[in-house]
Amino acid sequence: MIKMNKQILKDTIQQLFVGGKGLLAMDESNGTCNKRFAAAGIPQTIEMRRSYRELIVTTPGLNESIGGAILYDETIRQQTKDSVLFTDVLLNAGIIPGIKVDTGAKPMVGFPNEKITEGLDGLRERLEEYKTMGARFAKWRGVITMGNGIPTTACIRANVHALARYAALCQEAGIVPIVEPEVLMTGNHSMQQCYDVTEQVLKTLFYQLYQYKIDLEGMILKPNMVIAGAESAAQNTIDEVAEATVNCLRSSVPATMPAIAFLSGGQSPEDAAAHLNAINKNFKNHLPWIVTFSFARAIQQPALDKWKGAEANIEEAQKLLYRRAKSDAAARHGEYIALLE
Ligand code: 13P
């Protein structure tokens, strides 16, 4: 690790979370964004995606809660209707632009129902380009699916290997890697089963990061919470989820790693905020890391549903986005009391 980069990475992380802020993931690929648009009855065009992202980045007061926004390749190149680059809108508000650099989770040959994330080829050059566009941190998502006989060790190993190689290239470029090994919520598994798989994934991941000489002080972990499958009838209380999540992370994540920023994974916005809140409130003096959010759906969904692609709904949609981000920032301090709901 080049010494200068070490300081750059630390400074970026410090700035991202200053004053207790979190991250906004707005890096849906075109496929995912179109799927969400289709579900909300919004036309799936490049202009609609641009308008939606303009709505997000121009939300008044977003910078009160959000320190960094993760963009997608299409979005980082786009502008407002007044021809201001989205990256400039964000920077002017004091929000650091980041970029998703994986090219998606694809079916893993020979491993039915499992996925491997692609995007390492040419990544060094792409990082240089994104850097010139203002990106100071990046994201790569590995996907681990739970089910009958899965995840396999091979799938976990392949995904954490890619995450480690991605993280190394980011750090070489002076870009903070967000390392995201997502254990999916889909399925009817119990919270304990999620605990066991998440623990295995994180332990395997941190060993791999060690082997690839990743500077843990210069990265951010983006994990799932430890939670029963969405189709499981046996759901746990908010406090139980918080306790299982903290225990799992404390047993697997080195204390030198500065920050954990959770994904929401399909939880309702209220549940995601309540879980983050309980983690920070109940375990205040037992967390060696900043524990915050990097939500996509749990921040965006109410705003997307309100907007529906209509200009007339922009202001109301922005208010909902602002409110969700504010709730999550309160949860980051253990001060969310559903008071803004
Ligand atoms: P969700 O919060 O919707 O899970 O998305 C977070 C994310 O960035 C997934 O890669």
Side-chain angles (χ1 to χ4, degrees):
M1 172 67 42
I2 305 160
K3 206 158 173 228
M4 187 184 67
N5 275 359
K6 223 175 155 62
Q7 196 54 47
I8 291 173
L9 298 173
K10 271 187 166 176
D11 290 349
T12 300
I13 294 171
Q14 199 267 334
Q15 283 173 35
L16 283 171
F17 301 120
V18 72
K21 296 181 191 183
L23 307 179
L24 167 63
M26 50 178 291
D27 61 331
E28 298 83 5
S29 64
N30 288 346
T32 303
C33 187
N34 287 345
K35 229 187 283 169
R36 305 223 167 118
F37 277 14
I42 300 165
Q44 296 108 62
T45 63
I46 185 168
E47 175 50 24
M48 279 312 217
R49 291 193 297 272
R50 194 208 60 76
S51 305
Y52 177 55
R53 267 62 182 259
E54 175 167 351
L55 177 161
I56 295 178
V57 299
T58 58
T59 293
L62 194 64
N63 58 357
E64 293 167 22
S65 322
I66 302 295
I70 315 170
L71 305 172
Y72 178 60
D73 184 73
E74 178 179 274
T75 321
I76 198 171
R77 302 167 196 278
Q78 286 177 324
Q79 308 178 346
T80 64
K81 55 183 179 325
D82 299 328
S83 306
V84 184
L85 280 165
F86 289 163
T87 46
D88 286 337
V89 178
L90 291 168
L91 284 169
N92 288 338
I95 298 174
I96 301 177
I99 181 75
K100 182 231 289 293
V101 299
D102 68 69
T103 56
K106 308 285 161 57
M108 185 162 153
V109 183
F111 293 85
N113 302 318
E114 296 200 289
K115 290 185 168 170
I116 175 69
T117 301
E118 296 184 350
L120 287 172
D121 288 353
L123 181 56
R124 180 177 266 143
E125 293 74 26
R126 287 195 290 130
L127 285 168
E128 282 309 318
E129 187 195 10
Y130 289 137
K131 209 162 106 170
T132 64
M133 296 173 166
R136 288 173 55 196
F137 68 104
K139 188 192 99 172
W140 179 293
R141 173 175 175 258
V143 177
I144 305 296
T145 310
M146 291 185 62
N148 210 352
I150 58 171
T152 60
T153 307
C155 175
I156 294 174
R157 280 208 191 131
N159 274 290
V160 301
H161 168 258
L163 279 164
R165 287 185 53 199
Y166 140 81
L169 288 164
C170 286
Q171 292 193 332
E172 176 190 57
I175 289 180
V176 173
I178 296 187
V179 173
E180 179 179 11
E182 175 173 6
V183 178
L184 293 178
M185 261 176 74
T186 39
N188 59 6
H189 50 269
S190 65
M191 182 177 77
Q192 185 59 46
Q193 286 170 313
C194 177
Y195 185 112
D196 293 342
V197 170
T198 303
E199 182 181 37
Q200 187 190 355
V201 168
L202 291 175
K203 288 192 176 196
T204 314
L205 169 70
F206 277 96
Y207 184 58
Q208 193 75 194
L209 294 173
Y210 162 68
Q211 288 189 310
Y212 278 77
K213 305 180 182 178
I214 303 308
D215 175 16
L216 296 187
E217 290 183 78
M219 63 163 272
I220 297 164
L221 178 71
K222 176 163 174 166
N224 52 284
M225 295 181 188
V226 173
I227 195 165
E231 287 91 51
S232 168
Q235 291 296 325
N236 299 83
T237 65
I238 299 286
D239 285 344
E240 285 168 348
V241 169
E243 186 176 356
T245 302
V246 169
N247 287 343
C248 187
L249 292 169
R250 277 170 49 93
S251 75
S252 326
V253 182
T256 43
M257 223 266 320
I260 288 175
F262 287 108
L263 58 96
S264 59
Q267 301 177 60
S268 72
E270 294 77 14
D271 280 357
H275 287 142
L276 178 63
N277 187 66
I279 288 167
N280 278 302
K281 191 167 168 212
N282 302 354
F283 299 92
K284 215 183 184 75
N285 300 318
H286 302 276
L287 303 172
W289 333 270
I290 291 169
V291 179
T292 185
F293 60 91
S294 175
F295 299 156
R297 282 165 287 179
I299 296 180
Q300 294 182 40
Q301 200 60 48
L304 181 64
D305 292 339
K306 170 64 74 178
W307 176 55
K308 291 201 182 73
E311 179 116 20
N313 298 333
I314 289 177
E315 206 179 310
E316 283 304 308
Q318 286 182 328
K319 280 187 190 151
L320 291 176
L321 192 81
Y322 172 85
R323 208 168 80 171
R324 287 271 32 108
K326 204 79 182 158
S327 294
D328 294 329
R332 182 250 171 286
H333 293 288
E335 288 165 3
Y336 168 76
I337 31 175
L339 107 162
L340 291 154
E341 304 296 340

